[in-house]
Amino acid sequence: MKELHSSLCGLLLAALSTHTWNLSAQDAEGFHVADTIPQATVTALRPAAAYTGLVRLDSKDLLKGAALFGSPDVIKVLQNFSGVAAGMELSSGLYVHGGDGSDNLFLLDGVPLFQVTHLGGLFSVFNADAVESLSFYKSGFPAKYGGRLSSVVDVSTSDGSADKFGGSFSIGLIDGRLFLQGPIVRDKLSFSVAMRRSWLDAVLVPMIAIAARQNDMPEDTKAGYSMFDTNVGLTYTPTPRDRLSLRFYCGTDGLHYYGTDTEIQDSPEGVHRLEDKMSMALDWGNLAASASWRHLFPGGAELNALAYWSRGYSDMTGEIASESFEDGMVSSQKYNEKIFSSASVAGFKSIAVFRLDRHVLNAGIEYRHEWYDPVRTVTVSMPAAMPGSVPGMSESVFYRADGFSMFGEDEMQYGPLTLSAGLRLDLFAQGGKVYFRPQPRLSGSYALSRGLLLKASYEWTSQFTHLLSSVFLDLPTNLWLPATAKVKPADSRQVALGLHASPSRNWRIDVGGYYRTIGNCILYSGGLSLLPPLEDWESVFVSGRGRSYGAELELGYVADKFDVTAYYTLSWTTRFFPELYHDWFFDRFDNRHKLTLVSTWRIAPGVELGATWNFHSGNRVTLPEQYTVNGDGSRTLLYSMPYNAKLPAYHRLDLSCSFRSVTRRGRERIWNISVYNAYCRMNPSMIMTSIPDDGPPKAYAYSLVPILPSVSYTLKF
Amino acid sequence: MKRILVILLGVLPLAASCEKEIAYPIKGGDRSLLVECIASNGTDTTFISVQPTYPIGGGREGAVHGLSAAMSVNGKERDVELVSRDGEICVFGVPGQLGQGDAVRVDAWADGIARVSASGVVPAALQLDCERSLEDDNLIRYRMVVRRPDDGASRHCYAVLLRSISIAEEAMWYSGVREYTCDTLEQRVSYFNVVAEQPYTLCTLEGRPAMLFEADENSPSMEIVFDAGYDEDCVYAATPTDTSIVRYMYDVQLLNVPPLLYDYYNPPVSDVLLGAGLVPPFVNFSNIDGGYGILACAGRSSTGWTPGFDPLPPLGQ
């Protein structure tokens, strides 16, 4: 007699397609019902292997392995995958298939975020404790995603347990995390709260003071940094067919600097102590809130509605006060500069899903209203001999924009062939200028045999918001501004092919390639002017094109106690900006080869070793190629081509060891010891050119990151 | 604020970093030439400065021989003569005037160095409205209003050059005959200072100090105000019958220069930030094909030689 384990797990295993598996009377013949559960419709997702560029991760994937300073990071995990350049050392940049880092769509429970990193990119805003699941698309984007060119990182946070209270507490070298979850009303209303706070400021202050003393900087130089973020969620399921949720995110960063130069001035009138003071305070972050409702209809249809609001902001205040001694008098001058900027979006979207025999139809609409509001004010106070302040300057821009999107997508299955055909229509209006972008989205897979899958995708994507960055770091000086009549939206076309093979239970092979073009990508042409002019920003950004292509290989082996995955990418990324250079040139993160090995060894019960080895060809920088000798003997450096030099190849090994045990009260505790850059490879981050008066020119490489051990303690309850 | 950001982005990381000398990442390379030339109307001679470059990553060193230049106007070659040589910097002069619309091509080469070239068209000169007044401390204040040309270009840049000459005249009696001499000497302008608030760049054009300005595209005109050193005409009388005077003349020139020239003299370079790949790439704003430097075709207008305030009358012969 057959037994049907009418558990959700069994239904999921049986439904590896998008069909709803309903047990008919004929199917039930000969089966003994072992148990009964309330009626539920189970929708199984197409496996990630069927997509050209999809990676699905859950919280366990994010929390395992070596983590920088013992703090697991979502984006740093994604950087391991093929087709993704990591950018600069320690940063949380995501440069996918030749993207520039500002063209990734980060969604937190469906809400787009503007600021997605802490501390200039050291950590991402995604608290791994709060993350339930994550979908990362490098290609083959479904039609429901839009607004960015290169990738989609769709993060869903935990609903919280509906029947049991629990959580975890974790403390590491530079931050601490607290996660709480549980029912408010059992099986109806649950909550989850995740908080994280760094104490990097306590560590940095003495380090900066020592570095300043050793490098002829003001003795009282102080600099510090702190960050805090929290994720709060409420989930209400009034009926088995309805799910309402509220989500709130708040993340803030604070960076400050202070230094004083002192000079003793002797004069007939006496001895005067002159001080030059510099101070700066930066605060930046992101706030996001959303309310969503999902309703399941009989027959498998569902409706999802989401209202959201997100605001990224940065406030920067700097002051320089200097004293000078002239004509027997001490005079002082003060320079104060404030920069405020914010980008906000509020919107509503609704997606309906209909399931027919061989088709799953998705259709949706979305409306967004966006605000962009940067302001810069400079105040200069004149010397005491000329009392009164002289206003410096004030510039601001304010943009409002509206976006309306509509999409439809049909996912079809005919035997071994799965095909998804969709079309997304985006309308963007700003300042009387309207942009319309139709974006076809095609993807498909064909099962050549059991365990062998051929897949392909082709898509158009458009981006209506630009990140104006004068420095390639995530800093408050970066501004999100909309496409205007002068600065057009960026567009991308990408085709990807892939082959997935699972020759055995243990092995997995994925081979693929992509070719991508980008139009209207922008680049800051202001050079050393670290703060782009606001009122005339459109004139200091140049427009160009991009091209990227490459091949990817992923090889994975999974066993009971050991697993290892190798990710290799061979790629080329080029840019063409005619106002900068007359020909195509390699982009700064054109890493020809990239190889990442990720392994885990469950050496004994409760003991897990992890190792990650990263290698990539050096990032590109611009160095002078020639110099001239002027009439006075001085030398002028000459540059001929952008990104004409490569840093030495980058490689490092990260190790971790986790010890799991159970306390007397039955709570799991984990001690994690991690070593970042275990063999202390001093990977160069920058190169400086020096031309001595006699002798050949020299190059000096500067490396920032030595071996970084860390330890963290986690208690789950 | 920029200073603080440079400290945070450049100085502090450098202070906390490890330094190691490495082989220069760019290997070898052929030497090239740096050519600088302003081709404009309103001058009898066009000067071309040529000097060799040295590859940083190693390569050919040593003296360069056979530095040469050529210039053609509307396809016709003009005579070129070597005017001066300072070390390896050669300055060539091309006699002859240029006019609006003239197509200019400049070539330069040397033994073992590939030929470099550039071309351009001389634009129209701008109308020059210039007033001057005498300030304290022997300063002339010049106030110029420059109207932006209506040529549809997105950027407009101007250069202001100040020239000064001294004319020394002597009238002496020798053996009953009055002899008269007159020497003209170009003065090097030793001081000038921009008074108005618009940003400017000091540079050297045609061997003279010059000021470069970029127009505000939101305004149809631009006012340039600057002070320059002023010498009064003076009389040196040796005897009641022998007289010598020195007179000073001044000429202010306004050049309608290409934005490339402005960018060339305002290179946004920070070796630290470029070497870290932190800022967008910088390339010399050069239009010399195969080399470095700039050929700037400019429209020139001039006040002409103008005497100082209370000028002395010339000595009669």
Side-chain angles (χ1 to χ4, degrees):
Chain A
M1 182 176 291
K2 297 175 187 175
E3 285 195 352
L4 175 65
H5 295 277
S6 55
S7 65
L8 286 177
C9 178
L11 288 169
L12 278 171
L13 286 174
L16 286 180
S17 67
T18 54
H19 294 288
T20 302
W21 199 84
N22 291 317
L23 191 63
S24 67
Q26 186 176 4
D27 294 329
E29 187 178 345
F31 282 85
H32 166 72
V33 179
D35 196 359
T36 55
I37 57 171
Q39 182 182 6
T41 301
V42 177
T43 302
L45 300 174
R46 211 164 114 204
Y51 293 85
T52 56
L54 171 61
V55 174
R56 284 207 180 103
L57 303 172
D58 59 23
S59 57
K60 289 180 187 171
D61 298 317
L62 299 172
L63 292 172
K64 74 178 182 186
L68 178 63
F69 297 123
S71 188
D73 185 70
V74 164
I75 295 183
K76 286 196 166 42
V77 169
L78 297 180
Q79 287 175 346
N80 290 333
F81 291 97
S82 54
V84 180
M88 300 199 58
E89 175 102 66
L90 296 182
S91 77
S92 286
L94 210 59
Y95 305 90
V96 181
H97 287 180
D100 67 2
S102 71
D103 47 11
N104 306 299
L105 178 64
F106 291 96
L107 298 173
L108 184 61
D109 296 313
V111 184
L113 298 181
F114 293 99
Q115 300 271 10
V116 294
T117 61
H118 292 298
L119 187 55
L122 190 62
F123 297 107
S124 71
V125 299
F126 303 106
N127 186 339
D129 290 334
V131 174
E132 179 72 27
S133 65
L134 176 153
S135 294
F136 174 48
Y137 292 88
K138 298 181 291 181
S139 61
F141 309 117
K144 65 180 179 180
Y145 296 117
R148 295 291 187 270
L149 298 181
S150 289
S151 77
V152 177
V153 181
D154 190 354
V155 177
S156 298
T157 57
S158 169
D159 285 346
S161 172
D163 59 354
K164 198 170 73 169
F165 178 81
S168 66
F169 164 76
S170 181
I171 184 167
L173 270 189
I174 65 163
D175 69 347
R177 310 193 309 271
L178 175 66
F179 176 61
L180 301 171
Q181 51 139 0
I184 298 175
V185 176
R186 195 180 182 86
D187 294 327
K188 287 280 188 186
L189 181 64
S190 61
F191 79 97
S192 71
V193 176
M195 288 185 287
R196 182 168 56 165
R197 206 280 187 201
S198 80
W199 34 77
L200 200 59
D201 41 355
V203 174
L204 274 181
V205 167
M207 286 173 59
I208 297 293
I210 292 169
R213 212 164 283 133
Q214 290 176 346
N215 290 275
D216 199 26
M217 290 175 65
E219 281 191 1
D220 64 345
T221 297
K222 295 185 184 68
Y225 166 79
S226 64
M227 71 93 168
F228 168 79
D229 63 28
T230 182
N231 291 268
V232 178
L234 282 176
T235 306
Y236 179 51
T237 51
T239 74
R241 294 185 179 279
D242 291 282
R243 177 177 170 276
L244 295 112
S245 64
L246 295 175
R247 294 286 188 267
F248 174 74
Y249 167 79
C250 170
T252 70
D253 291 71
L255 177 67
H256 69 268
Y257 170 84
Y258 175 83
T260 304
D261 255 328
T262 305
E263 180 187 343
I264 304 297
Q265 183 82 37
D266 283 329
S267 75
E269 291 80 9
V271 176
H272 302 275
R273 183 188 171 92
L274 304 175
E275 289 186 337
D276 285 346
K277 296 180 184 177
M278 279 193 296
S279 66
M280 183 183 69
L282 293 85
D283 296 286
W284 71 96
N286 210 115
L287 301 169
S290 68
S292 68
W293 172 51
R294 191 188 74 191
H295 180 77
L296 303 174
F297 294 93
E302 70 179 78
L303 178 69
N304 296 276
L306 172 73
Y308 62 87
W309 169 81
S310 176
R311 177 174 182 260
Y313 67 91
S314 67
D315 295 350
M316 185 160 65
T317 304
E319 188 170 281
I320 300 175
S322 59
E323 291 180 336
S324 58
F325 188 77
E326 288 176 6
D327 300 328
M329 285 175 52
V330 175
S331 60
S332 63
Q333 188 165 4
K334 192 179 286 187
Y335 173 93
N336 182 287
E337 185 167 353
K338 296 181 183 179
I339 302 174
F340 306 102
S341 76
S342 70
S344 309
V345 61
F348 172 83
K349 63 179 155 185
S350 179
I351 301 175
V353 182
F354 305 96
R355 293 184 175 82
L356 305 176
D357 185 26
R358 294 180 186 277
H359 297 258
V360 177
L361 302 172
N362 291 267
I365 56 169
E366 180 179 1
Y367 168 74
R368 303 175 302 280
H369 186 74
E370 301 169 6
W371 301 262
Y372 302 90
D373 184 15
V375 176
R376 179 185 296 150
T377 305
V378 175
T379 306
V380 179
S381 297
M382 298 302 291
M386 299 175 64
S389 295
V390 176
M393 60 87 114
S394 176
E395 53 177 357
S396 66
V397 291
F398 182 67
Y399 294 101
R400 287 192 180 192
D402 294 280
F404 180 75
S405 306
M406 231 167 58
F407 77 89
E409 192 164 44
D410 182 7
E411 196 163 322
M412 303 159 268
Q413 180 151 16
Y414 295 92
L417 174 67
T418 303
L419 190 63
S420 175
L423 178 66
R424 183 182 177 90
L425 304 174
D426 277 329
L427 204 66
F428 185 80
Q430 193 284 317
K433 180 71 182 174
V434 178
Y435 291 103
F436 173 67
R437 291 288 189 270
Q439 298 158 58
R441 306 281 175 90
L442 300 170
S443 72
S445 61
Y446 186 85
L448 295 170
S449 66
R450 185 185 173 84
L452 192 62
L453 199 65
L454 183 66
K455 46 194 177 177
S457 68
Y458 175 70
E459 69 263 355
W460 291 12
T461 50
S462 295
Q463 180 163 335
F464 304 95
T465 310
H466 299 293
L467 181 64
L468 272 55
S469 174
S470 58
V471 183
F472 297 140
L473 289 174
D474 284 313
L475 293 178
T477 53
N478 298 346
L479 305 172
W480 284 103
L481 288 169
T484 64
K486 287 184 182 177
V487 181
K488 297 179 182 177
D491 302 294
S492 170
R493 313 275 188 268
Q494 179 170 225
V495 61
L497 293 172
L499 184 69
H500 168 81
S502 302
S504 72
R505 183 172 74 92
N506 302 104
W507 287 95
R508 173 182 70 84
I509 305 169
D510 281 275
V511 180
Y514 66 91
Y515 181 84
R516 182 177 175 218
T517 61
I518 305 173
N520 287 327
C521 47
I522 66 171
L523 195 62
Y524 179 53
S525 66
L528 187 55
S529 180
L530 296 175
L531 303 170
L534 283 181
E535 291 177 342
D536 197 27
W537 66 271
E538 292 155 301
S539 66
V540 296
F541 282 82
V542 294
S543 174
R545 291 185 278 149
R547 197 163 54 198
S548 176
Y549 49 92
E552 301 171 2
L553 170 65
E554 294 181 12
L555 190 62
Y557 174 80
V558 177
D560 289 339
K561 293 193 174 182
F562 176 76
D563 57 73
V564 60
T565 309
Y567 305 94
Y568 172 72
T569 310
L570 173 68
S571 66
W572 289 259
T573 302
T574 55
R575 293 284 188 265
F576 179 62
F577 286 89
E579 292 181 56
L580 284 186
Y581 189 66
H582 59 83
D583 201 354
W584 288 85
F585 56 88
F586 290 115
D587 191 34
R588 70 188 188 280
F589 297 130
D590 173 60
N591 307 124
R592 187 72 63 249
H593 303 279
K594 177 176 178 269
L595 174 64
T596 305
L597 301 172
V598 182
S599 65
T600 307
W601 183 17
R602 292 163 283 280
I603 189 172
V607 182
E608 185 175 284
L609 298 178
T612 303
W613 185 70
N614 282 276
F615 168 88
H616 65 74
S617 307
N619 294 335
R620 290 186 172 270
V621 296
T622 305
L623 294 180
E625 289 188 30
Q626 307 256 343
Y627 70 95
T628 56
V629 180
N630 302 317
D632 59 1
S634 64
R635 304 182 189 207
T636 300
L637 299 176
L638 301 171
Y639 300 77
S640 65
M641 184 178 173
Y643 297 126
N644 55 353
K646 276 200 304 188
L647 293 173
Y650 176 100
H651 55 90
R652 77 165 199 273
L653 174 67
D654 304 332
L655 299 172
S656 75
C657 184
S658 297
F659 300 93
R660 296 172 188 270
S661 60
V662 179
T663 66
R664 269 181 267 177
R665 292 187 182 183
R667 294 169 182 163
E668 183 184 12
R669 68 177 161 211
I670 306 167
W671 281 99
N672 177 277
I673 301 169
S674 295
V675 183
Y676 181 91
N677 196 11
Y679 53 74
C680 200
R681 154 89 172 169
M682 298 305 291
N683 290 295
S685 298
M686 63 176 77
I687 293 179
M688 279 187 64
T689 306
S690 168
I691 305 181
D693 290 336
D694 54 348
K698 298 185 182 196
Y700 294 92
Y702 291 84
S703 309
L704 290 173
V705 184
I707 182 171
L708 296 174
S710 66
V711 62
S712 69
Y713 173 77
T714 302
L715 180 69
K716 295 186 178 181
F717 48 86
Chain B
M1 186 71 83
K2 189 164 66 177
R3 183 177 163 194
I4 299 176
L5 285 172
V6 170
I7 288 173
L8 281 175
L9 293 175
V11 176
L12 279 180
L14 277 177
S17 64
C18 295
E19 177 188 292
K20 179 183 171 185
E21 185 179 343
I22 61 172
Y24 204 74
I26 304 174
K27 296 295 177 194
D30 294 328
R31 299 182 72 169
S32 186
L33 296 175
L34 185 140
V35 177
E36 294 177 340
C37 174
I38 309 287
S40 76
N41 59 305
T43 179
D44 293 329
T45 305
T46 301
F47 295 98
I48 306 171
S49 166
V50 182
Q51 64 182 117
T53 67
Y54 295 86
I56 291 183
R60 289 189 53 208
E61 300 284 346
V64 169
H65 302 285
L67 272 171
S68 305
M71 181 167 142
S72 65
V73 180
N74 298 324
K76 294 180 184 172
E77 292 282 338
R78 287 199 176 178
D79 293 333
V80 176
E81 54 196 33
L82 180 65
V83 172
S84 68
R85 185 173 188 127
D86 179 11
E88 288 197 317
I89 304 174
C90 291
V91 178
F92 299 90
V94 184
Q97 293 190 347
L98 296 171
Q100 178 189 346
D102 281 346
V104 176
R105 179 188 165 98
V106 169
D107 290 75
W109 64 93
D111 293 347
I113 297 181
R115 194 181 188 99
V116 301
S117 64
S119 56
V121 175
V122 177
L126 299 173
Q127 182 182 345
L128 176 58
D129 292 333
C130 183
E131 295 175 354
R132 59 178 199 168
S133 58
L134 187 62
E135 293 292 313
D136 294 334
D137 298 322
N138 291 331
L139 290 176
I140 295 181
R141 175 158 292 181
Y142 293 89
R143 189 178 298 272
M144 304 166 62
V145 176
V146 183
R147 287 177 184 74
R148 190 183 72 228
D150 188 18
D151 55 7
S154 60
R155 291 176 68 197
H156 295 89
C157 297
Y158 317 117
V160 175
L161 279 76
L162 183 64
R163 300 194 300 168
S164 168
I165 55 172
S166 65
I167 303 171
E169 295 183 54
E170 278 191 337
M172 302 284 181
W173 286 96
Y174 287 105
S175 304
V177 177
R178 193 174 191 209
E179 290 192 2
Y180 172 78
T181 59
C182 177
D183 288 319
T184 301
L185 185 67
E186 181 152 358
Q187 304 280 61
R188 179 160 180 81
V189 176
S190 59
Y191 171 82
F192 57 85
N193 178 49
V194 175
V195 174
E197 289 183 358
Q198 70 273 12
Y200 68 98
T201 299
L202 289 175
C203 62
T204 300
L205 296 179
E206 299 177 330
R208 302 183 184 91
M211 296 164 276
L212 283 174
F213 300 88
E214 182 170 6
D216 177 2
E217 294 303 317
N218 295 321
S219 174
S221 65
M222 179 175 163
E223 186 178 67
I224 298 172
V225 183
F226 66 94
D227 293 341
Y230 167 62
D231 292 312
E232 286 184 340
D233 294 353
C234 55
V235 176
Y236 298 92
T239 68
T241 54
D242 295 334
T243 308
S244 60
I245 63 172
V246 177
R247 291 186 289 114
Y248 296 92
M249 306 280 276
Y250 304 92
D251 174 33
V252 175
Q253 297 185 334
L254 174 69
L255 276 73
N256 179 20
V257 298
L260 193 66
L261 182 73
Y262 183 89
D263 296 334
Y264 182 77
Y265 283 105
N266 282 283
V269 178
S270 164
D271 293 336
V272 172
L273 297 179
L274 276 173
L278 281 177
V279 292
F282 161 75
V283 180
N284 280 346
F285 292 97
S286 168
N287 62 352
I288 304 297
D289 189 17
Y292 302 88
I294 188 160
L295 167 64
C297 291
R300 185 190 308 249
S301 48
S302 166
T303 61
W305 291 110
T306 308
F309 297 91
D310 298 325
L312 292 174
L315 285 179
Q317 291 198 17

